[in-house]
Amino acid sequence: MAPSLAYALIATDLDGSLLRGDDTVSDRSLAALARVARAGARHLVVTGRPVPRVRPLLTDLGCTGLAVCGQGAQLYDAAAGRLLWSERLDRELAETALGKIEAEVGQVYAAVDQDGVDGLTLIEPGYLMPHPTLPAVRVDRRADLWGAPISKVLLRHAELSDDELAAVARSAVGSLATVTMSGPGTVELQPSGVTKATGLALAAERLGIGAERAVAFGDMPNDIPMFEWAGWGVAMADAHPELKAVADEITLSNEDDGIAVVLERLFPGAGQ
């Protein structure tokens, strides 16, 4: 059980956490988030998805405040429809990092998320989108990925598992970039030092809320920094073992409304 504390900030990952497999949010989860709002607490989406892939979901959730996107590289104001802060991944560094990784494991397939509220996701030949429902533009060659500023690079390998590719990438890349794994088929390079925790901390500072009053929900290793920052970290039932190892609590799966179960317990006096 979470300690008795007045939580003021609820940070939720999307894929595998708040979202069900069909990219929808259940009625029970929506009701639980409404309960949070009635209690005076703030809900922040903290996701690896870039802003353009998040905006429709924020509308569905009724979010009009801040959202942390792009693995912490983007702080978005939903009400104003603009980025308050963004950190770009240097494109020359990204190319160098890819070369170092390929020197270790052979060919990888890459995609990029362009920076900005209208940035595109570009994919090179051979790259398969882990989320087929998310829009992407296929380019003819890798060099075409670097035509505009980017927030991150996504990687896939024909044979290595996500864990194996992430481990090799961390060793090969070093301090050139931060390597994260945020879901099946989703190993990513983002600006060095940028994580979900850095983006969440920036948002919390703007809201005047301390880390000890934050609850974070997630399911993958990219959520580990967020759990380390927040006062209470809740992993989904089918979360990656690395995240479960640092979680304060494990709830039900995203399909079983695991986030709603915890929020109903933490905010008992704010029911309908």
Side-chain angles (χ1 to χ4, degrees), residues 8-88:
L9 182 61
I10 308 301
T12 63
D13 171 51
L14 288 179
D15 296 288
S17 300
L18 184 61
L19 295 181
R20 296 181 292 191
D22 61 358
D23 269 11
T24 63
V25 181
S26 73
D27 290 341
R28 183 177 180 183
S29 292
L30 289 172
L33 292 174
R35 177 189 293 247
V36 167
R38 285 193 297 273
R42 303 295 292 268
H43 170 227
L44 281 184
V45 165
V46 185
T47 177
R49 296 193 187 197
V51 168
R53 308 288 89 83
V54 175
R55 285 189 295 174
L57 291 170
L58 295 177
T59 299
D60 292 343
L61 290 168
C63 293
T64 58
L66 303 179
V68 178
C69 307
Q71 301 291 13
Q74 300 172 320
L75 182 60
Y76 178 66
D77 183 335
R82 65 185 182 93
L83 280 170
L84 300 179
W85 177 85
S86 68
E87 184 76 22
R88 294 173 174 176

Side-chain angles (χ1 to χ4, degrees), residues 70-244:
Q71 301 291 13
Q74 300 172 320
L75 182 60
Y76 178 66
D77 183 335
R82 65 185 182 93
L83 280 170
L84 300 179
W85 177 85
S86 68
E87 184 76 22
R88 294 173 174 176
L89 176 60
D90 182 273
R91 285 166 281 176
E92 290 187 7
L93 284 182
E95 283 192 281
T96 299
L98 282 176
K100 288 180 174 292
I101 295 169
E102 290 187 319
E104 298 291 332
V105 299
Q107 184 175 16
V108 297
Y109 300 101
V112 300
D113 284 335
Q114 294 179 332
D115 190 35
V117 296
D118 296 310
L120 301 173
T121 296
L122 305 181
I123 58 178
E124 72 174 348
Y127 184 88
L128 299 176
M129 285 291 289
H131 297 285
T133 60
L134 296 180
V137 176
R138 189 170 296 280
V139 298
D140 294 329
R141 55 190 182 135
R142 179 171 292 179
D144 296 330
L145 298 176
W146 318 121
I150 62 173
S151 60
K152 65 180 177 180
V153 176
L154 301 91
L155 306 175
R156 302 199 75 168
H157 191 276
E159 298 176 359
L160 296 181
S161 69
D162 298 329
D163 288 296
E164 291 169 334
L165 179 57
V168 171
R170 289 190 185 99
S171 176
V173 168
S175 62
L176 290 179
T178 297
V179 178
T180 61
M181 181 171 58
S182 59
T186 313
V187 175
E188 302 176 355
L189 307 179
Q190 59 203 66
S192 181
V194 170
T195 67
K196 282 190 173 184
T198 61
L200 178 55
L202 183 62
E205 182 180 8
R206 284 177 173 265
L207 296 172
I209 301 173
E212 73 282 357
R213 301 188 67 198
V215 181
F217 294 87
D219 72 313
M220 293 299 290
N222 66 319
D223 296 313
I224 291 174
M226 184 166 67
F227 277 30
E228 292 173 342
W229 179 86
W232 194 254
V234 184
M236 312 308 292
D238 48 0
H240 191 283
E242 290 181 14
L243 186 67
K244 285 185 174 180

Side-chain angles (χ1 to χ4, degrees), residues 18 26 28-30 32 217 251 257-265:
L18 184 61
S26 73
R28 183 177 180 183
S29 292
L30 289 172
F217 294 87
T251 186
D257 297 314
I259 289 179
V261 168
V262 176
L263 294 181
E264 289 164 1
R265 187 190 81 229

